[in-house]
Structure formats: C-alpha cells, structure tokens
Amino acid sequence: MTGPGTGPGHRWHWRAHAARAKALTPAGFSAAALPARPTPRGWAAALRGRSSGERPAPCACPAAAGAAPRRARPAGAGSSLPGPRRAELQPGMEEEEEEEEEGLNCRAQAQLQGKVLFFTVCAAGIGGTFQYGYNISIINAPTTYIQRFINETWLERTGASLDSGVILLVWSFIVSIYSLGGLAGALIAGPMAIKLGRKTSLLLNNAFVIIAAVFSGFSRMAKSFEMIMLGRFFTGINAGVSMNIQPMYLGESAPKKVRGAVTLTSASFTALGLVLGQVVGIRELLGGEESWPLLLASNVVPGLIQLMTLPWLPESPRYLLIDRGDKESCICALQKLRGNDDLSSELEEMQAEQAAIKGQRAKRPWELFQNPAVRRQLITIIVLSSAMQLCGNDSMYFYASYVFQEAGIPYEKIQYLIIGTGCCELITAVTCNVIIERAGRRLLILGGYSLMAVWAIIFMVALSQQSRISWMPYLSMACIFAYILSFGIGPAGVTGVLPTEIFDQMSRPAAYMICGSLLWSNLFAVGMAFPFIVEGLAHFCYLPFFTVCVCTALYVSFFLPETKGKTFLEISKEFSKRNFKTQTREKFWKGPEEIKSTML
C-alpha cells in the first residue's frame, strides 16, 4: 500500500503543478524554488482520491486552507552570501532550503494541531462531568443555612414554624431530586446524541445549568425554597446528559492508542469538580450564610466556559462518517484532531465499521435487551454501572466527619480534611489516566474492587473497636482514604470507558442511556437506604458494600475480556464469539455426523 503523496496520481499532480508554475513564472524568478516532492498539505486530497478511486485534486489541506499561497522566490533572495558567490549556487541547494523551510512550517502546524485533542478534552470536561462532581459537593457546605432558610420562609408564609422532622424531609428532597434530574438527563441523552450530534448536545446541555443557576441564585431574594428544588433538578439533568455524552464524544474522537486515557479524563474532571466544589464551599469563600445562593449559582461559570470554547473544536469523526455519512467533514475533523499524521488506516477502519452496520438504524434501549448479539456486553455494563453506586464509595463521605471528630480533629479543621478525601480521588483518577494504556481496563477494575473489599472489612473492624482502642480512629481515617483511593484507581473511571469500546456505533447511545439510568437510580436508592442500613447494622453497615465489591471482582475476573489496544471492530468480533459460543459449538460438531465409515 502506498502512503500519502507516493502514488502515481500524486506524482502526476506535482509534475503538472511544476509545469504550470514554470510557464507562469515571471522573469527574475526561479522555477527551481518550487518544492520537489509533495508535502502533508496534499494528504487530504490523496485520502479522498484513494478512497473514492478519483485522481487527487490539486488543493490544499483544509487545515491549511486559510494560509496564503506561496510565491516562488527570486534566485538567491534571502541569502547572506555576496552577489558573485550567490550566482554560483546550484539549483539543488535552493530546493533544499525550500524543503527545510517547508518542513519547519509543517512541524509547527503539526504541534498546533496536535494540541486540538487536548483542548477538546478540556472544553468537553469543564462543562461536562466536572459539573457532576461540583454539584454533588457544593450542596454540603450550606446545609445548616438552607434548612434555616426553609423554616424562616415557611414562618413568613403561614406564621408557624416547621418541625425539625419536616425540615429534614424537605432538605432530603432537595438533595435527592438531583438524582431524579440525573435520571431524566440520562434518558434524553441518547436521542440528543443521535439527532443533534455529540458536540452540539454538550453545547445545548448548558441551557439546563443556566436555568438552574437562575433559580438557585434568586431563591433567597424571591423567598422560595421551591426554587432551590427546581434548580437542583435542572442541575441533575445537565449532569445526566454530560455523563453519558462526554465519554462517548471523547472515545470516538481519540486515536486507538490513547482512547482509554482520553475517555478516562471524564473521571478526572468529576474528581476535579468534587475538589473545587469542596474548596469553594469553605466558610472563608462562598460557604458562609450570606453567600450560599452564589455558591449554588456558581455552577454557571463552567457552563459559560464550555459555550465559549467547544464551538471552535471538531465534532466526533465517527459520528460524522457513520451516522451522517459526511466523509468530507469526517476527514476535516480527523485532520484537526490528528495534525499531519497518516489518516488512511483510521479512515479505513471507520469505513469497515460503517460497512458492517450498513442499513441499520440507531438502537433503542429495549432493543438491546432483545438482541442476543449484545447480551454479554449488556450484562457487563449492568453489573459495572450498578456496582459504581452500590460499592459504598459515596457513603464514605457520610462517615468522614464522624470519624475525624472521633480522631480528635478540631471541628473547624474537618472541612480541610474532607477536601483531602476529594484530592485522593483526583490523584488516583489522574494516575489511572497515566497507567490505563499499560495496565489495561480489566486489571484496574479487578484490582480496585478487590482492594475495596479488603478495606471494607478493616473499616468495619475499626469502627467496632473505636471506643475500646485509642488508635482505632486513626485506622478508620486510613481506611476512608484507602477506600477512596482504590475506587479512583479503577472503577471510578474505567466503568465509563467500557460502553464506548464494547458497543458499536448504532448501539452506543442506547447503552449509555442504560448505564446512566442505573447509575442515577442506584445513587437515589443508596441515598435513601443508607441511613436505615446504618441503623440496622451499626458498625457492620459496610457488609452489603463488601458483598457488592466481591461479586463484581469475580464477574470481571471470569467474564470481562481486555479491550486495550483494539479497534472497535475487533472488540465487537470478540464479543460476538462469546455471545454465540453455543451456536458455534453446535456448528462445529456437525462435521462428524456426515462421516459414513472410518474403515480403511
């Protein structure tokens, strides 16, 4: 196979270009200054010509479309040599100068375009999964102030104050309605991704967070705690949409060799949002009694940043080619994301997947349950998405304040230690980004849940002995940090990567709808059930979470294949073999039935 710029069509193009330039070159200019070989600017035309069978058109790459055409340079122009010596220069030396200058320009352009993927990750993340972590953490700081505001508002309306139980019930609803909004967002994310595209869906999703900021920011001025509920609901919708579409968008935009690391940045931005929400929520910043409406409305800032940055970045190339059938836009997007790399192999892989699913339409969630070809993939995402919330990681934050108080930490310092727990999750998420392409997905998930099971046992023992042994509170503190670290090193991020990799283009949006629905439903269920679990099991409240961790680790060990370094088509074929294993065996044993005799 010939690379870009090496085929006979391309040689014809450059001969014609040189002849035409020679004919048009005015006196005093040298035709030898023309480039003697093709450069990466002709690769887009070569790709189009190779894939369609047409002769490459003599046009520049879209990435360089805005550049002014280069004029042939007068012989010896720009040289520091004296006139008589300059006249003795060979034409080949001028060609080498031109080629060297062209190479420097191409390298600079490649460096600029190579950063586009990084900017895409940042722009998608800051208004995407960042919002999920940020909005989970900012609601904790003003708990007392909002409960007081609820009581005062009701007193002004009716002349009677609310009972403490009713105030707690209203507050619980304010917190838990975020999960209901997330569930609604997860259900609409699939249709949005299919009809509007990945990037457009992320941009329109910011409308929900802007509405939420208006409701929350003006709630005290309007003397309405119901506006806080509405704000939390719209914030949940924003988080539900972004948690489904952002990993899909990044996974489809990233090259195969760094696909896992790029998609895993969704978890890093979640952890970053969690930490920044904890920092902004301290009493010295926006966590005070007078500033809590600003704290709840501050989530509009990441949304505005995304609205200003993401429109300048490309749409998912796979969506453009496979869903829309727009090959030209796909090549343009690939050039922006990959720079001057050879795009032929990646384009051929996309076209192979396009041919494999030709004539199919985007699947609906219930159709995945009826399709035996995706049975193993569906079971995998159901197990792992449920385990994300049922493993008890979020419940560790519930115990953090109590354990820190038992360890003798002053009350005013506990908020800084809680920030430390968020930093643990951020550090492990970033570490996971670095090692995922070396360690693989399977090992990280298996190791994470196995370690969490170990720390859950130690944590329960430490809780039961805290009143008897003086150093047990410190062991409990260590278990909290270790549990969060173990969760962040694998399950927190890799779980969001897998639906992108194990489902094809037509099934991927529906798979993320199922994942998101399970995640938000289980988050709501754990939030409602955990106080009763604590009351019933006391110090052994982590026994159900321990069971979930062990069962998930066993499932991953026996049934989850490694997807590292494989194309989407290769992963689909591997799962297809597993899904139709029984039929394959039956087909294999049909041969001996046709043997009439074994006699020689």
Side-chain angles (χ1 to χ4, degrees), residues 305-376:
I305 293 174
Q306 185 179 74
L307 284 173
M308 290 186 292
T309 55
L310 191 58
W312 304 98
L313 298 164
E315 175 61 277
S316 158
R318 306 187 80 87
Y319 171 78
L320 292 171
L321 179 65
I322 301 175
D323 289 71
R324 281 191 185 176
D326 190 347
K327 185 176 173 184
E328 297 292 323
S329 298
C330 172
I331 293 175
C332 254
L334 281 174
Q335 286 173 332
K336 291 179 182 178
L337 290 165
R338 308 288 185 266
N340 290 327
D341 292 344
D342 185 2
L343 309 176
S344 57
S345 59
E346 189 169 1
L347 189 63
E348 287 170 3
E349 187 264 322
M350 289 187 195
Q351 290 174 324
E353 184 178 355
Q354 184 185 31
I357 59 178
K358 187 176 182 180
Q360 299 183 30
R361 58 169 177 78
K363 301 293 190 299
R364 297 178 175 88
W366 55 87
E367 292 177 340
L368 297 187
F369 288 95
Q370 301 169 352
N371 187 0
V374 295
R375 183 181 296 116
R376 189 64 64 87

Side-chain angles (χ1 to χ4, degrees), residues 84-166:
R85 179 60 179 155
R86 189 187 308 131
E88 298 175 6
L89 281 175
Q90 304 264 339
M93 295 178 66
E94 293 190 10
E95 290 180 8
E96 290 179 4
E97 286 183 16
E98 285 289 335
E99 289 180 13
E100 183 178 354
E101 184 180 346
E102 185 73 23
L104 290 173
N105 291 337
C106 288
R107 280 195 293 272
Q109 183 182 345
Q111 290 176 356
L112 177 63
Q113 291 176 319
K115 296 176 182 177
V116 172
L117 181 60
F118 172 77
F119 292 137
T120 302
V121 168
C122 294
I126 194 65
T129 53
F130 176 91
Q131 294 278 32
Y132 170 66
Y134 187 77
N135 288 292
I136 278 182
S137 58
I138 61 172
I139 197 64
N140 295 324
T143 299
T144 305
Y145 308 132
I146 294 178
Q147 289 179 354
R148 188 182 304 160
F149 170 71
I150 293 170
N151 191 36
E152 291 173 354
T153 302
W154 191 259
L155 182 62
E156 287 185 15
R157 290 178 185 177
T158 64
S161 60
L162 291 170
D163 294 335
S164 59
V166 177

Side-chain angles (χ1 to χ4, degrees), residues 213-295:
V214 171
F215 278 125
S216 300
F218 291 99
S219 58
R220 187 169 62 181
M221 186 183 300
K223 296 182 180 180
S224 171
F225 57 82
E226 294 87 355
M227 291 178 66
I228 302 177
M229 295 180 185
L230 287 172
R232 291 288 292 174
F233 181 75
F234 281 106
T235 301
I237 294 176
N238 172 268
V241 171
S242 62
M243 287 192 70
N244 281 14
I245 296 182
Q246 181 188 331
M248 196 189 315
Y249 173 52
L250 295 180
E252 292 175 359
S253 301
K256 178 179 66 175
K257 60 183 178 181
V258 294
R259 185 179 61 227
V262 169
T263 310
L264 195 62
T265 56
S266 301
S268 301
F269 276 98
T270 299
L272 179 62
L274 188 72
V275 173
L276 287 184
Q278 291 170 339
V279 171
V280 174
I282 63 176
R283 286 181 291 273
E284 291 79 2
L285 295 178
L286 295 180
E289 187 171 5
E290 297 299 322
S291 56
W292 63 262
L294 290 176
L295 175 64

Side-chain angles (χ1 to χ4, degrees), residues 251 256 259-261 263 436-437 441 494 496-504 508 512 562-569 571-572 575:
K256 178 179 66 175
R259 185 179 61 227
T263 310
I436 185 172
E437 296 300 342
R441 288 68 160 150
V494 181
V497 175
L498 288 177
T500 297
E501 296 188 326
I502 66 179
F503 285 92
D504 61 33
R508 196 171 293 135
Y512 268 106
E562 181 56 68
T563 60
K564 177 185 70 173
K566 298 177 182 177
T567 66
F568 290 125
L569 202 58
I571 296 169
S572 295
F575 270 101

